[in-house]
PDB file of all heavy atoms in Angstrom:
ATOM      1  N   GLY A   1     306.243 227.456 -35.319  1.00 88.00           N
ATOM      2  CA  GLY A   1     304.792 227.081 -35.670  1.00 88.00           C
ATOM      3  C   GLY A   1     304.377 227.581 -36.976  1.00 88.00           C
ATOM      4  O   GLY A   1     303.804 228.612 -37.128  1.00 88.00           O
ATOM      5  N   PHE A   2     304.631 226.679 -37.981  1.00 93.00           N
ATOM      6  CA  PHE A   2     304.058 226.937 -39.356  1.00 93.00           C
ATOM      7  C   PHE A   2     302.962 225.930 -39.640  1.00 93.00           C
ATOM      8  O   PHE A   2     303.275 224.765 -39.715  1.00 93.00           O
ATOM      9  CB  PHE A   2     305.211 226.878 -40.318  1.00 93.00           C
ATOM     10  CG  PHE A   2     306.231 227.954 -40.122  1.00 93.00           C
ATOM     11  CD1 PHE A   2     307.511 227.576 -39.654  1.00 93.00           C
ATOM     12  CD2 PHE A   2     306.010 229.263 -40.375  1.00 93.00           C
ATOM     13  CE1 PHE A   2     308.478 228.471 -39.414  1.00 93.00           C
ATOM     14  CE2 PHE A   2     306.999 230.220 -40.152  1.00 93.00           C
ATOM     15  CZ  PHE A   2     308.243 229.816 -39.670  1.00 93.00           C
ATOM     16  N   TYR A   3     301.772 226.419 -39.836  1.00 91.00           N
ATOM     17  CA  TYR A   3     300.635 225.483 -40.080  1.00 91.00           C
ATOM     18  C   TYR A   3     300.436 225.164 -41.565  1.00 91.00           C
ATOM     19  O   TYR A   3     300.586 226.047 -42.443  1.00 91.00           O
ATOM     20  CB  TYR A   3     299.327 226.195 -39.582  1.00 91.00           C
ATOM     21  CG  TYR A   3     299.266 226.262 -38.086  1.00 91.00           C
ATOM     22  CD1 TYR A   3     299.820 227.353 -37.352  1.00 91.00           C
ATOM     23  CD2 TYR A   3     298.712 225.201 -37.352  1.00 91.00           C
ATOM     24  CE1 TYR A   3     299.748 227.416 -36.011  1.00 91.00           C
ATOM     25  CE2 TYR A   3     298.720 225.250 -35.956  1.00 91.00           C
ATOM     26  CZ  TYR A   3     299.209 226.411 -35.291  1.00 91.00           C
ATOM     27  OH  TYR A   3     299.198 226.429 -33.924  1.00 91.00           O
ATOM     28  N   GLU A   4     300.165 223.919 -41.802  1.00 91.00           N
ATOM     29  CA  GLU A   4     299.941 223.418 -43.132  1.00 91.00           C
ATOM     30  C   GLU A   4     298.782 224.165 -43.893  1.00 91.00           C
ATOM     31  O   GLU A   4     298.857 224.476 -45.028  1.00 91.00           O
ATOM     32  CB  GLU A   4     299.674 221.931 -43.116  1.00 91.00           C
ATOM     33  CG  GLU A   4     299.732 221.221 -44.469  1.00 91.00           C
ATOM     34  CD  GLU A   4     301.183 220.986 -44.937  1.00 91.00           C
ATOM     35  OE1 GLU A   4     302.115 221.397 -44.250  1.00 91.00           O
ATOM     36  OE2 GLU A   4     301.290 220.390 -45.972  1.00 91.00           O
ATOM     37  N   SER A   5     297.710 224.353 -43.133  1.00 91.00           N
ATOM     38  CA  SER A   5     296.494 224.923 -43.753  1.00 91.00           C
ATOM     39  C   SER A   5     296.666 226.368 -44.036  1.00 91.00           C
ATOM     40  O   SER A   5     295.967 226.911 -44.941  1.00 91.00           O
ATOM     41  CB  SER A   5     295.284 224.691 -42.806  1.00 91.00           C
ATOM     42  OG  SER A   5     295.580 225.222 -41.526  1.00 91.00           O
ATOM     43  N   ILE A   6     297.500 227.079 -43.315  1.00 92.00           N
ATOM     44  CA  ILE A   6     297.704 228.589 -43.565  1.00 92.00           C
ATOM     45  C   ILE A   6     299.146 228.916 -43.276  1.00 92.00           C
ATOM     46  O   ILE A   6     299.470 229.496 -42.259  1.00 92.00           O
ATOM     47  CB  ILE A   6     296.664 229.358 -42.734  1.00 92.00           C
ATOM     48  CG1 ILE A   6     296.915 230.892 -43.031  1.00 92.00           C
ATOM     49  CG2 ILE A   6     296.725 229.059 -41.290  1.00 92.00           C
ATOM     50  CD1 ILE A   6     295.857 231.760 -42.486  1.00 92.00           C
ATOM     51  N   PRO A   7     300.056 228.503 -44.189  1.00 94.00           N
ATOM     52  CA  PRO A   7     301.473 228.825 -43.945  1.00 94.00           C
ATOM     53  C   PRO A   7     301.790 230.320 -43.910  1.00 94.00           C
ATOM     54  O   PRO A   7     302.701 230.722 -43.241  1.00 94.00           O
ATOM     55  CB  PRO A   7     302.177 228.130 -45.129  1.00 94.00           C
ATOM     56  CG  PRO A   7     301.140 228.073 -46.190  1.00 94.00           C
ATOM     57  CD  PRO A   7     299.849 227.765 -45.465  1.00 94.00           C
ATOM     58  N   ASP A   8     300.960 231.044 -44.599  1.00 94.00           N
ATOM     59  CA  ASP A   8     301.103 232.527 -44.638  1.00 94.00           C
ATOM     60  C   ASP A   8     301.047 233.189 -43.237  1.00 94.00           C
ATOM     61  O   ASP A   8     301.787 234.137 -42.935  1.00 94.00           O
ATOM     62  CB  ASP A   8     299.998 233.202 -45.514  1.00 94.00           C
ATOM     63  CG  ASP A   8     299.821 232.409 -46.796  1.00 94.00           C
ATOM     64  OD1 ASP A   8     299.067 231.443 -46.773  1.00 94.00           O
ATOM     65  OD2 ASP A   8     300.351 232.804 -47.782  1.00 94.00           O
ATOM     66  N   LEU A   9     300.244 232.542 -42.352  1.00 91.00           N
ATOM     67  CA  LEU A   9     300.058 233.064 -41.047  1.00 91.00           C
ATOM     68  C   LEU A   9     301.336 232.975 -40.213  1.00 91.00           C
ATOM     69  O   LEU A   9     301.814 233.955 -39.563  1.00 91.00           O
ATOM     70  CB  LEU A   9     298.931 232.354 -40.295  1.00 91.00           C
ATOM     71  CG  LEU A   9     298.577 232.807 -38.913  1.00 91.00           C
ATOM     72  CD1 LEU A   9     298.107 234.280 -38.929  1.00 91.00           C
ATOM     73  CD2 LEU A   9     297.505 231.948 -38.317  1.00 91.00           C
ATOM     74  N   GLY A  10     301.978 231.857 -40.240  1.00 92.00           N
ATOM     75  CA  GLY A  10     303.242 231.712 -39.502  1.00 92.00           C
ATOM     76  C   GLY A  10     304.343 232.519 -40.083  1.00 92.00           C
ATOM     77  O   GLY A  10     305.164 233.141 -39.326  1.00 92.00           O
ATOM     78  N   LEU A  11     304.450 232.598 -41.425  1.00 95.00           N
ATOM     79  CA  LEU A  11     305.518 233.317 -42.013  1.00 95.00           C
ATOM     80  C   LEU A  11     305.377 234.845 -41.674  1.00 95.00           C
ATOM     81  O   LEU A  11     306.409 235.465 -41.307  1.00 95.00           O
ATOM     82  CB  LEU A  11     305.435 233.197 -43.581  1.00 95.00           C
ATOM     83  CG  LEU A  11     305.746 231.754 -44.142  1.00 95.00           C
ATOM     84  CD1 LEU A  11     305.529 231.745 -45.598  1.00 95.00           C
ATOM     85  CD2 LEU A  11     307.170 231.417 -43.839  1.00 95.00           C
ATOM     86  N   GLN A  12     304.208 235.328 -41.737  1.00 93.00           N
ATOM     87  CA  GLN A  12     303.971 236.727 -41.361  1.00 93.00           C
ATOM     88  C   GLN A  12     304.288 236.963 -39.857  1.00 93.00           C
ATOM     89  O   GLN A  12     304.943 237.903 -39.524  1.00 93.00           O
ATOM     90  CB  GLN A  12     302.558 237.187 -41.725  1.00 93.00           C
ATOM     91  CG  GLN A  12     302.284 238.692 -41.573  1.00 93.00           C
ATOM     92  CD  GLN A  12     301.849 239.082 -40.187  1.00 93.00           C
ATOM     93  OE1 GLN A  12     301.446 238.154 -39.377  1.00 93.00           O
ATOM     94  NE2 GLN A  12     301.942 240.299 -39.812  1.00 93.00           N
ATOM     95  N   GLY A  13     303.737 236.043 -39.028  1.00 91.00           N
ATOM     96  CA  GLY A  13     303.865 236.284 -37.577  1.00 91.00           C
ATOM     97  C   GLY A  13     305.330 236.133 -37.140  1.00 91.00           C
ATOM     98  O   GLY A  13     305.761 236.962 -36.231  1.00 91.00           O
ATOM     99  N   VAL A  14     305.983 235.192 -37.612  1.00 93.00           N
ATOM    100  CA  VAL A  14     307.385 234.877 -37.107  1.00 93.00           C
ATOM    101  C   VAL A  14     308.446 235.696 -37.779  1.00 93.00           C
ATOM    102  O   VAL A  14     309.419 236.064 -37.083  1.00 93.00           O
ATOM    103  CB  VAL A  14     307.651 233.346 -37.302  1.00 93.00           C
ATOM    104  CG1 VAL A  14     309.111 233.016 -37.013  1.00 93.00           C
ATOM    105  CG2 VAL A  14     306.794 232.525 -36.449  1.00 93.00           C
ATOM    106  N   LEU A  15     308.212 236.038 -39.057  1.00 95.00           N
ATOM    107  CA  LEU A  15     309.366 236.650 -39.807  1.00 95.00           C
ATOM    108  C   LEU A  15     309.163 238.073 -40.202  1.00 95.00           C
ATOM    109  O   LEU A  15     310.164 238.793 -40.491  1.00 95.00           O
ATOM    110  CB  LEU A  15     309.645 235.775 -41.072  1.00 95.00           C
ATOM    111  CG  LEU A  15     310.049 234.336 -40.825  1.00 95.00           C
ATOM    112  CD1 LEU A  15     310.155 233.566 -42.077  1.00 95.00           C
ATOM    113  CD2 LEU A  15     311.422 234.365 -40.130  1.00 95.00           C
ATOM    114  N   GLN A  16     307.901 238.520 -40.347  1.00 94.00           N
ATOM    115  CA  GLN A  16     307.660 239.835 -40.865  1.00 94.00           C
ATOM    116  C   GLN A  16     308.307 240.873 -39.930  1.00 94.00           C
ATOM    117  O   GLN A  16     308.120 240.833 -38.717  1.00 94.00           O
ATOM    118  CB  GLN A  16     306.198 240.161 -40.988  1.00 94.00           C
ATOM    119  CG  GLN A  16     305.802 241.324 -41.795  1.00 94.00           C
ATOM    120  CD  GLN A  16     305.907 241.133 -43.265  1.00 94.00           C
ATOM    121  OE1 GLN A  16     305.673 240.045 -43.773  1.00 94.00           O
ATOM    122  NE2 GLN A  16     306.328 242.146 -43.986  1.00 94.00           N
ATOM    123  N   SER A  17     309.029 241.805 -40.544  1.00 95.00           N
ATOM    124  CA  SER A  17     309.757 242.819 -39.698  1.00 95.00           C
ATOM    125  C   SER A  17     308.841 243.520 -38.634  1.00 95.00           C
ATOM    126  O   SER A  17     309.309 243.791 -37.525  1.00 95.00           O
ATOM    127  CB  SER A  17     310.410 243.851 -40.605  1.00 95.00           C
ATOM    128  OG  SER A  17     311.364 243.206 -41.441  1.00 95.00           O
ATOM    129  N   ASP A  18     307.672 243.923 -39.039  1.00 91.00           N
ATOM    130  CA  ASP A  18     306.808 244.735 -38.172  1.00 91.00           C
ATOM    131  C   ASP A  18     305.757 243.896 -37.433  1.00 91.00           C
ATOM    132  O   ASP A  18     304.820 244.401 -36.885  1.00 91.00           O
ATOM    133  CB  ASP A  18     306.145 245.793 -38.993  1.00 91.00           C
ATOM    134  CG  ASP A  18     305.267 245.320 -40.092  1.00 91.00           C
ATOM    135  OD1 ASP A  18     305.182 244.099 -40.370  1.00 91.00           O
ATOM    136  OD2 ASP A  18     304.597 246.080 -40.867  1.00 91.00           O
ATOM    137  N   SER A  19     305.857 242.578 -37.446  1.00 90.00           N
ATOM    138  CA  SER A  19     304.901 241.735 -36.765  1.00 90.00           C
ATOM    139  C   SER A  19     305.134 241.758 -35.240  1.00 90.00           C
ATOM    140  O   SER A  19     306.228 241.611 -34.797  1.00 90.00           O
ATOM    141  CB  SER A  19     305.029 240.282 -37.215  1.00 90.00           C
ATOM    142  OG  SER A  19     304.259 239.414 -36.411  1.00 90.00           O
ATOM    143  N   PRO A  20     303.998 241.992 -34.559  1.00 85.00           N
ATOM    144  CA  PRO A  20     304.128 242.042 -33.034  1.00 85.00           C
ATOM    145  C   PRO A  20     304.465 240.703 -32.422  1.00 85.00           C
ATOM    146  O   PRO A  20     304.898 240.613 -31.312  1.00 85.00           O
ATOM    147  CB  PRO A  20     302.716 242.589 -32.584  1.00 85.00           C
ATOM    148  CG  PRO A  20     301.810 242.237 -33.697  1.00 85.00           C
ATOM    149  CD  PRO A  20     302.630 242.342 -34.924  1.00 85.00           C
ATOM    150  N   SER A  21     304.231 239.606 -33.175  1.00 86.00           N
ATOM    151  CA  SER A  21     304.554 238.247 -32.683  1.00 86.00           C
ATOM    152  C   SER A  21     305.905 237.714 -33.184  1.00 86.00           C
ATOM    153  O   SER A  21     306.195 236.557 -33.050  1.00 86.00           O
ATOM    154  CB  SER A  21     303.400 237.256 -33.037  1.00 86.00           C
ATOM    155  OG  SER A  21     303.155 237.313 -34.453  1.00 86.00           O
ATOM    156  N   ASN A  22     306.682 238.683 -33.737  1.00 93.00           N
ATOM    157  CA  ASN A  22     308.040 238.280 -34.123  1.00 93.00           C
ATOM    158  C   ASN A  22     308.975 238.293 -32.908  1.00 93.00           C
ATOM    159  O   ASN A  22     309.638 239.231 -32.630  1.00 93.00           O
ATOM    160  CB  ASN A  22     308.494 239.334 -35.176  1.00 93.00           C
ATOM    161  CG  ASN A  22     309.922 239.019 -35.755  1.00 93.00           C
ATOM    162  OD1 ASN A  22     310.678 238.308 -35.183  1.00 93.00           O
ATOM    163  ND2 ASN A  22     310.170 239.579 -36.909  1.00 93.00           N
ATOM    164  N   THR A  23     308.900 237.173 -32.153  1.00 94.00           N
ATOM    165  CA  THR A  23     309.557 237.092 -30.867  1.00 94.00           C
ATOM    166  C   THR A  23     311.082 237.268 -30.981  1.00 94.00           C
ATOM    167  O   THR A  23     311.726 237.803 -30.119  1.00 94.00           O
ATOM    168  CB  THR A  23     309.245 235.690 -30.217  1.00 94.00           C
ATOM    169  OG1 THR A  23     307.808 235.536 -30.214  1.00 94.00           O
ATOM    170  CG2 THR A  23     309.770 235.600 -28.849  1.00 94.00           C
ATOM    171  N   ALA A  24     311.669 236.837 -32.085  1.00 97.00           N
ATOM    172  CA  ALA A  24     313.146 236.868 -32.250  1.00 97.00           C
ATOM    173  C   ALA A  24     313.601 238.329 -32.537  1.00 97.00           C
ATOM    174  O   ALA A  24     314.817 238.598 -32.435  1.00 97.00           O
ATOM    175  CB  ALA A  24     313.613 235.940 -33.321  1.00 97.00           C
ATOM    176  N   GLY A  25     312.688 239.174 -32.948  1.00 97.00           N
ATOM    177  CA  GLY A  25     313.082 240.561 -33.324  1.00 97.00           C
ATOM    178  C   GLY A  25     313.856 240.555 -34.690  1.00 97.00           C
ATOM    179  O   GLY A  25     314.558 241.527 -34.946  1.00 97.00           O
ATOM    180  N   TYR A  26     313.615 239.585 -35.531  1.00 98.00           N
ATOM    181  CA  TYR A  26     314.259 239.489 -36.813  1.00 98.00           C
ATOM    182  C   TYR A  26     313.623 240.473 -37.780  1.00 98.00           C
ATOM    183  O   TYR A  26     312.409 240.588 -37.799  1.00 98.00           O
ATOM    184  CB  TYR A  26     314.036 238.047 -37.341  1.00 98.00           C
ATOM    185  CG  TYR A  26     314.544 237.820 -38.741  1.00 98.00           C
ATOM    186  CD1 TYR A  26     315.824 237.583 -39.072  1.00 98.00           C
ATOM    187  CD2 TYR A  26     313.553 237.707 -39.823  1.00 98.00           C
ATOM    188  CE1 TYR A  26     316.227 237.370 -40.388  1.00 98.00           C
ATOM    189  CE2 TYR A  26     313.965 237.494 -41.059  1.00 98.00           C
ATOM    190  CZ  TYR A  26     315.260 237.288 -41.430  1.00 98.00           C
ATOM    191  OH  TYR A  26     315.641 237.015 -42.722  1.00 98.00           O
ATOM    192  N   ALA A  27     314.416 241.235 -38.481  1.00 97.00           N
ATOM    193  CA  ALA A  27     313.978 242.182 -39.472  1.00 97.00           C
ATOM    194  C   ALA A  27     314.833 242.138 -40.691  1.00 97.00           C
ATOM    195  O   ALA A  27     316.025 242.398 -40.628  1.00 97.00           O
ATOM    196  CB  ALA A  27     313.995 243.603 -38.872  1.00 97.00           C
TER     197      ALA A  27
END
């Protein structure tokens, strides 16, 4: 889920190492 209007939100949520919504546990 990467939104056109705010791509930063999806990148931080899905990929950021310390994001609580990083479901994959990617770091």
Side-chain angles (χ1 to χ4, degrees):
F2 298 107
Y3 290 89
E4 192 78 356
S5 54
I6 180 168
D8 315 84
L9 183 61
L11 293 173
Q12 188 273 341
V14 171
L15 296 174
Q16 194 77 34
S17 298
D18 58 358
S19 169
S21 54
N22 183 338
T23 307
Y26 172 80

